[in-house]
Amino acid sequence: MQETTRLELIEDQNEFQDPELESVPMQNTSLDIWDTKYRLKNKDGWPVDQDIQDTYGRVAEALVISEKANRKEYWREQFIWALQNGAIPAGRIISNAGALEHKPATSTINCTVSCTVPDSMAGILESVREAGLTLKAGCGIGYEFSTLRPKGALVSGAGAQTSGPLSFMDIFDAMCFTVSSAGGRRGAQMATFDISHPDISDFIRAKREDGRLRQFNLSCLITDEFMKAVEEGSDWLLYFPAKQHEFESGEYEIIYRNWEHDDRYIKDEQGRVACRVYDKVPAHRLWNQIMNSTYDYAEPGFILVDRINEMNNNWFCETIRATNPCGEQPLPPYGACLLGSINLTKCVEYPFTSKARFNWKKYRELVAVFTRMLDNVVEIHGLPLDSQGEEILRKRRHGMGFLGLGSTLTMLRMKYGEPESLEFTEQVAREMAEIGWRVGIKLAEEKGMAPIFDEDFTVTQQMLRQRPEMKEKGYRAGDTIKGRELIGRYSRYMQKFPKSLQDEIVEKGCRYTHHTSIAPTGTISLSLANNASNGIEPSFAHKYTRNVIREGKKTKESVDVFSYELLAYRQLVNPQAEPGAKDEKNQLPDYFVAADDVTPQQHVEIQAAAQKWIDSSISKTANVPTDFDFDEFKDIYMYAWKQGLKGCTTFRFNPEAFQGVLVKEEDLENTIYRFTLDNGEIIEAKGNEMIEYDGEQHSAANLFDALKEGYYGRF
């Protein structure tokens, strides 16, 4: 058959090459990260990949395995072309695809979510075991912990009170550190927690305790009801499902709420669970706790769980309560998703000039080829649990996104956050989405639709309440309906697309239920993209320090990093300039925007522009300066809610709390760290000063952080 996944057959692919940009040299840090994280090596540590082209060839070879024999060579060449021109699979694919001979127990999947953690000792420990296997395979994992009863609640049969969800989170935290220490890659976990749980304040404050839960990102599950309570200044109930004796005693206030997790609880005729009210607090008090903690510790994040479920393509068969570690993939229990990003800088022509433009033809072609590549990853997923494998094969989720948005805007002479950049961002996201769905329909015709599209589902009263238009179309409870109609016709996200596209999905299905997601892309941006800006972000700074873990070193090592757009500007516009010179910032055009130059509102607006066309979610961090005003800062999350986002996180450099991975030189220069010796003597040093301690040289900032957080000497 004709290659229907190709939007346009390109006769001369060299038309897409920009020889000037190809001359920008890879910085040493980028090559070092490729070598340590993504380059395949044998058991003795000797390279199997001789260079980056070898890495691309290995990945392409692994991903053509499911293609027809007579088309393998064709698609292998197309995949290599895409990899060379900005299609970058996520880290687990780059590291592990085609590596079975050397790493047989690893996965190509970045994102997973745990089972629903049961409220029992046996269930919790089994969840720890499953999570350990998942982390060992190289996957990140998320969990909801508000399924566990609050501290002080009675443990049936034990004659004791539970120590609460956070004490069990400590077990997962220790397990993750142990697994990542043994495997050499830092484990990644996300803990979510309902805003109505009686222990929510403890969760919000958890990271104020030195060294606690450092293997976790933390996010609150925020509902529309809570946000309205904050706006209205009303009280907020904290509750948990009641035990039989609590329900019958008459001593406690009982309310009925939807509770998805467990059939053991007492329910009313509508299926709602009887819950004991533990406390009533002003909603704004909880809100202020969240904002104060986020201001000081960059956590907890903010997950708008109602919007996530409302906009989920699989709205009829999933309830989502957790995300992957960075929040861009909301997933059901045992959910799994692979990732990949297109480096937008590879589509820029004539950068920094009046003729600067974005090559939309090349971009569309990259999306089309990359979509097929990522779909093939499902066949070699390598997930360690059968439940995870069944979930990904049934729905075939993948999350294609982009990286280098900030760098690309700079090269096009646009300012990140201004109206022109919002229009560009929305167009990039929309083009990716529309092409992705059209390619997915063609792939379904060629290879078969994801099984869920062909499954029969029974219409329920709850479905009719959620989608009243189904009743208008004549559906009644008890009727049967195909998954492809529930997605194509009644998904709130799919309703944004032309009716002709919806009709095709209803008729033919699609290869996957989800196509787009924007990840943070930290190390793949820094390595294979030569430090093009992360994901949807502006560049953190145009020169900064990155703290990296070195095996055998007692603290993190600081390395200098330059933004891709700075390197490109110096190469193409001013080759005599020295990258990183102290007066460099003053020499750059005003469109060279970095994270601190962007207002929180602009961060939110960029995310909102893309979110319209992203069917999963977006990992986005609003960076603000250390001295940013708190009263202005605390409105960020409210603005994000009103702009229709699914989540939001912020970061403010706070040396009293933590060091962070990325640090600007001026922050280190302006921060004094104080060390108290055993004899009581106090030594002070600037963050960028070197200190000899325990036979090694350490920056003052990294030594202070390692001693404070308790990881000194543990790498």
Side-chain angles (χ1 to χ4, degrees):
M1 64 179 282
Q2 190 176 12
E3 301 300 349
T4 52
T5 60
R6 308 278 286 173
L7 297 186
E8 296 176 272
L9 183 61
I10 297 170
E11 296 178 358
D12 180 11
Q13 291 178 346
N14 287 329
E15 69 180 291
F16 289 152
Q17 303 299 321
D18 187 331
E20 291 186 334
L21 283 175
E22 292 298 315
S23 69
V24 177
M26 290 282 283
Q27 54 193 306
N28 290 336
T29 300
S30 300
L31 291 170
D32 181 56
I33 291 174
W34 162 72
D35 177 66
T36 56
K37 287 185 174 289
Y38 304 128
R39 187 182 199 178
L40 181 60
K41 298 176 182 178
N42 65 22
K43 63 180 181 180
D44 298 318
W46 292 100
V48 176
D49 297 344
Q50 297 305 308
D51 53 27
I52 290 177
Q53 296 307 313
D54 270 4
T55 300
Y56 291 157
R58 166 174 56 81
V59 172
E61 191 66 40
L63 298 187
V64 297
I65 193 169
S66 62
E67 300 293 347
K68 293 177 180 177
N70 64 342
R71 301 304 292 161
K72 275 186 167 62
E73 183 57 27
Y74 172 81
W75 283 114
R76 189 183 71 82
E77 291 177 0
Q78 297 307 306
F79 292 173
I80 289 176
W81 171 81
L83 289 162
Q84 291 172 336
N85 284 272
I88 307 181
R92 297 305 87 206
I93 303 171
I94 294 288
S95 295
N96 299 334
L100 281 177
E101 179 184 350
H102 305 279
K103 299 189 288 183
T106 54
S107 174
T108 54
I109 305 302
N110 274 67
C111 308
T112 70
V113 156
S114 163
C115 65
T116 299
V117 180
D119 188 26
S120 69
M121 181 62 73
I124 292 167
L125 294 179
E126 175 60 18
S127 299
V128 172
R129 185 192 72 85
E130 291 185 344
L133 293 173
T134 302
L135 289 163
K136 181 175 178 285
C139 313
I141 187 167
Y143 329 74
E144 183 198 358
F145 285 102
S146 41
T147 56
L148 305 183
R149 73 194 77 175
K151 66 181 178 182
L154 182 66
V155 180
S156 300
Q161 294 178 324
T162 181
S163 52
L166 269 73
S167 65
F168 289 107
M169 287 174 62
D170 290 330
I171 298 173
F172 286 81
D173 194 61
M175 176 275 297
C176 180
F177 184 86
T178 302
V179 171
S180 63
S181 295
R185 179 178 185 261
R186 180 182 177 273
Q189 300 183 115
M190 169 69 85
T192 60
F193 210 80
D194 195 279
I195 193 64
S196 297
H197 193 282
D199 290 354
I200 183 64
S201 291
D202 291 343
F203 180 83
I204 293 168
R205 294 192 297 259
K207 288 211 173 178
R208 291 184 176 273
E209 194 174 324
D210 289 351
R212 192 177 192 193
L213 301 181
R214 292 312 192 245
Q215 308 303 308
F216 273 108
N217 292 328
L218 306 181
S219 285
C220 295
L221 297 173
I222 304 291
T223 61
D224 289 338
E225 184 183 5
F226 175 73
M227 295 302 294
K228 291 172 183 174
V230 173
E231 274 198 311
E232 295 166 2
S234 55
D235 287 338
W236 187 248
L237 298 180
L238 304 180
Y239 56 83
F240 194 80
K243 297 298 181 184
Q244 191 72 35
H245 73 277
E246 294 173 323
F247 180 75
E248 294 175 348
S249 70
E251 297 179 21
Y252 306 106
E253 180 182 355
I254 301 294
I255 60 173
Y256 289 88
R257 292 289 186 269
N258 292 325
W259 191 270
E260 305 291 341
H261 305 302
D262 203 319
D263 290 332
R264 296 176 301 169
Y265 297 123
I266 304 161
K267 296 184 178 180
D268 66 6
E269 293 178 354
Q270 299 178 36
R272 298 178 303 171
V273 169
C275 296
R276 170 189 163 185
V277 175
Y278 279 73
D279 202 357
K280 181 187 292 185
V281 298
H284 70 81
R285 182 191 301 170
L286 279 179
W287 177 259
N288 288 337
Q289 286 179 9
I290 293 170
M291 298 315 301
N292 275 286
S293 183
T294 301
Y295 186 75
D296 289 338
Y297 290 85
E299 291 189 90
F302 196 68
I303 293 177
L304 292 158
V305 67
D306 290 341
R307 188 160 296 139
I308 282 173
N309 282 291
E310 172 70 10
M311 299 302 293
N312 181 18
N313 289 339
N314 297 336
W315 62 276
F316 53 93
C317 65
E318 296 176 350
T319 299
I320 290 176
R321 301 284 299 175
T323 77
N324 75 309
C326 294
E328 73 273 12
Q329 271 299 324
L331 295 167
Y334 290 118
C337 182
L338 59 108
L339 299 174
S341 303
I342 289 179
N343 179 2
L344 300 178
T345 68
K346 290 284 192 176
C347 296
V348 176
E349 298 176 336
Y350 310 110
F352 312 116
T353 72
S354 59
K355 297 193 298 180
R357 67 187 186 191
F358 190 77
N359 190 328
W360 292 102
K361 180 182 179 183
K362 177 181 180 180
Y363 177 65
R364 296 181 189 110
E365 181 66 12
L366 281 167
V367 172
V369 176
F370 198 27
T371 295
R372 189 180 192 107
M373 283 178 64
L374 290 182
D375 178 66
N376 287 353
V377 174
V378 174
E379 314 307 326
I380 58 168
H381 61 76
L383 289 162
L385 306 179
D386 290 344
S387 299
Q388 295 167 335
E390 291 164 5
E391 178 72 14
I392 202 169
L393 288 170
R394 183 185 179 213
K395 300 167 184 172
R396 304 187 69 88
R397 266 181 167 97
H398 73 245
M400 182 189 294
F402 47 82
L403 62 83
L405 177 67
S407 299
T408 296
L409 291 171
T410 298
M411 295 164 73
L412 294 173
R413 308 204 305 182
M414 297 184 200
K415 286 187 177 181
Y416 186 102
E418 295 196 347
E420 186 180 15
S421 73
L422 300 181
E423 293 174 11
F424 177 80
T425 301
E426 182 173 349
Q427 186 175 356
V428 167
R430 180 167 186 162
E431 294 273 2
M432 178 173 283
E434 289 196 352
I435 294 167
W437 288 108
R438 296 193 185 282
V439 170
I441 293 166
K442 298 299 183 183
L443 284 172
E445 291 182 289
E446 178 187 342
K447 297 184 175 185
M449 65 185 79
I452 192 174
F453 283 91
D454 204 34
E455 291 177 17
D456 290 321
F457 292 86
T458 300
V459 176
T460 65
Q461 289 291 355
Q462 184 180 5
M463 284 186 193
L464 297 174
R465 285 194 296 270
Q466 289 177 300
R467 300 292 188 271
E469 60 268 35
M470 289 181 66
K471 187 178 290 187
E472 295 170 8
K473 292 288 185 181
Y475 281 107
R476 297 293 181 266
D479 290 350
T480 298
I481 185 171
K482 287 288 187 184
R484 55 182 180 268
E485 184 170 355
L486 287 165
I487 293 175
R489 192 82 70 209
Y490 299 111
S491 159
R492 292 290 184 237
Y493 171 80
M494 291 307 304
Q495 288 170 352
K496 300 178 181 181
F497 292 92
K499 186 176 183 298
S500 59
L501 180 62
Q502 298 175 39
D503 291 342
E504 278 200 87
I505 290 176
V506 172
E507 178 188 352
K508 302 171 183 176
C510 187
R511 187 64 172 164
Y512 33 74
T513 66
H514 294 73
H515 174 260
T516 46
S517 177
I518 301 181
T521 71
T523 52
I524 64 169
S525 286
L526 184 47
S527 57
L528 297 176
N530 202 8
N531 203 29
S533 54
N534 294 357
I536 198 173
E537 309 288 358
S539 284
F540 177 71
H542 297 299
K543 179 193 175 185
Y544 58 92
T545 296
R546 185 172 186 268
N547 292 318
V548 298
I549 295 172
R550 297 285 191 210
E551 188 174 353
K553 191 166 170 49
K554 296 183 177 68
T555 65
K556 295 176 182 177
E557 180 180 316
S558 299
V559 295
D560 287 340
V561 185
F562 305 100
S563 71
Y564 174 75
E565 58 266 40
L566 175 60
L567 296 179
Y569 186 80
R570 293 308 184 197
Q571 180 78 10
L572 304 179
V573 179
N574 190 6
Q576 287 76 38
E578 177 188 354
K582 286 198 171 181
D583 62 343
E584 180 174 28
K585 187 173 182 180
N586 298 329
Q587 300 172 13
L588 297 172
D590 63 357
Y591 53 77
F592 264 77
V593 171
D596 281 0
D597 303 319
V598 181
T599 68
Q601 289 73 23
Q602 288 174 319
H603 279 289
V604 169
E605 287 160 3
I606 283 277
Q607 186 174 347
Q611 185 66 78
K612 296 175 188 177
W613 303 104
I614 301 298
D615 56 29
S616 288
S617 193
I618 299 172
S619 177
K620 177 85 178 74
T621 301
N623 284 276
V624 299
T626 302
D627 59 356
F628 195 82
D629 181 69
F630 177 75
D631 287 336
E632 185 177 352
F633 174 89
K634 70 180 183 180
D635 293 331
I636 298 172
Y637 285 7
M638 184 67 72
Y639 188 58
W641 174 58
K642 291 182 177 180
Q643 288 294 307
L645 301 192
K646 295 181 180 179
C648 184
T649 58
T650 56
F651 178 80
R652 183 184 72 95
F653 177 70
N654 180 5
E656 295 181 10
F658 57 90
Q659 169 70 359
V661 176
L662 309 181
V663 185
K664 294 187 287 295
E665 185 68 22
E666 54 265 36
D667 285 331
L668 293 176
E669 178 74 22
N670 295 331
T671 304
I672 302 297
Y673 292 87
R674 294 177 177 84
F675 300 86
T676 303
L677 304 184
D678 290 342
N679 63 5
E681 181 184 355
I682 294 177
I683 294 178
E684 294 186 346
K686 293 181 178 179
N688 55 0
E689 288 187 56
M690 300 303 294
I691 295 176
E692 183 174 348
Y693 179 78
D694 200 13
E696 285 186 7
Q697 290 285 326
H698 314 269
S699 74
N702 283 342
L703 178 61
F704 184 89
D705 193 63
L707 294 172
K708 173 178 175 288
E709 291 297 317
Y711 63 78
Y712 179 83
R714 297 177 69 184
F715 298 146

